[in-house]
Amino acid sequence: MPKPATIAIDGPVAVGKSVIGSLLAQRLGYRFLDTGAMYRALTWLALELGVDLEDEKALEELALGASIELAAEGVMVGGRDVSLDIRREEVERGVSLVAKVGGVRRALVAKQRQMAQGGQVVVAGRDIGTVVLPHAELKLYLVASAEERARRRHLELVQRGQEANYEQVLAELKRRDKIDSERVLAPLQPAPDAKVIDTDELNIEQVLAEIMGIIGGC
Ligand code: DC
């Protein structure tokens, strides 16, 4: 059986899309595209340039003109590696505002489709199976409870040496879930033909094993 050429992985904040997606891509010898990093990179650039995050026109222009690349060495904006900057708190706080602007989504979705052309790619995001690549051969939708996702994100922050309070992490995660799922454009939701995987009780290896099982049966 041929492997699916294009694999979409969607799901909420901190469900493990990036970790699972990049490991899966490695295992299959595919490229991995983390589309969330593109929305983050644009948010970082807007903050850097002092663009008001409520100014939709300015954000759209920025998205159309910005050079955002998902390179093997990291996330590049205008040739600068911003992989660490885009994980900063102010980006985290602002990114949902930027991601709900129609013009921004149009510009970034066009780039994402271009990057996914040719297949052999795992693409992670919120709207990959529904909007960006509705014809992806395999669509996965990862879920986990807000509490479990907050526990994982909190642990990740602590391991990185950052100060973190579990209750705050949980509240922030719920705030972003709400904006991502209630926005008018491309709200977070599984495609009708997506395979939903509940990762609450599963570790990374177990999730990967489940996905490899699905691919084996494709
Ligand atoms: O996956 P992440 O946390 O890095 O995503 C950052 C933000 O970008 C998040 O608020 C949702 C948004 N996003 C989106 O709207 N569409 C995507 N395809 C990927 C991310």
Side-chain angles (χ1 to χ4, degrees), residues 20 83 217:
I20 302 288
S83 309

Side-chain angles (χ1 to χ4, degrees), residues 9-14 17-18 34-40 43 86-87 91-92 94-100 105 109 112 123-128 132 153 176-177 179-180 183 185-186 188:
I9 305 188
D10 291 301
V13 181
K17 299 179 298 290
S18 301
D34 174 8
T35 60
M38 297 173 72
Y39 289 94
R40 286 169 180 269
T43 307
I86 63 167
R87 304 288 153 195
V91 173
E92 192 92 25
V95 67
S96 291
L97 285 177
V98 174
K100 69 185 170 77
R105 300 203 70 83
V109 166
Q112 290 157 13
V123 188
R126 303 287 190 289
D127 58 343
I128 308 304
V132 181
R153 176 56 56 94
R176 283 181 53 202
D177 271 358
I179 303 181
D180 290 345
R183 72 181 178 213
L185 292 166
L188 175 68

Side-chain angles (χ1 to χ4, degrees), residues 146-165:
E147 288 70 21
E148 174 59 19
R149 289 182 286 129
R151 191 191 66 72
R152 294 176 191 167
R153 176 56 56 94
H154 179 252
L155 184 69
E156 185 187 319
L157 292 171
V158 170
Q159 281 171 345
R160 262 197 246 148
Q162 279 174 244
E163 289 230 344
N165 169 289

